[in-house]
Amino acid sequence: MRIFPFKTNLWDRVFLSIVIMFAVHLFWVRFIETYAPLSIATVGTLVFTAFVIIFG
């Protein structure tokens, strides 16, 4: 099972996970932080990062 539609190595998966984490946090701070704390985004993106690194 692959998440990305292209072949990746470990470094690619880590880098893309960090970029996605950064984007999610910026989106969260701009639109959602008034309703839910930033720690929810952090936990969610860390779970997503682990999933991407393992199955990506």
Side-chain angles (χ1 to χ4, degrees):
M1 181 173 125
R2 289 178 22 191
I3 296 172
F4 299 115
F6 46 87
K7 189 173 174 91
T8 58
N9 58 23
L10 179 62
W11 164 247
D12 294 334
R13 293 190 298 263
V14 170
F15 178 76
L16 289 171
S17 296
I18 291 171
V19 169
I20 292 169
M21 184 183 297
F22 184 73
V24 166
H25 277 80
L26 286 177
F27 177 82
W28 195 279
V29 167
R30 176 67 175 101
F31 296 109
I32 303 175
E33 192 175 23
T34 57
Y35 308 111
L38 189 62
S39 59
I40 295 173
T42 303
V43 170
T45 54
L46 286 176
V47 169
F48 176 74
T49 299
F51 185 75
V52 166
I53 290 173
I54 294 170
F55 297 109

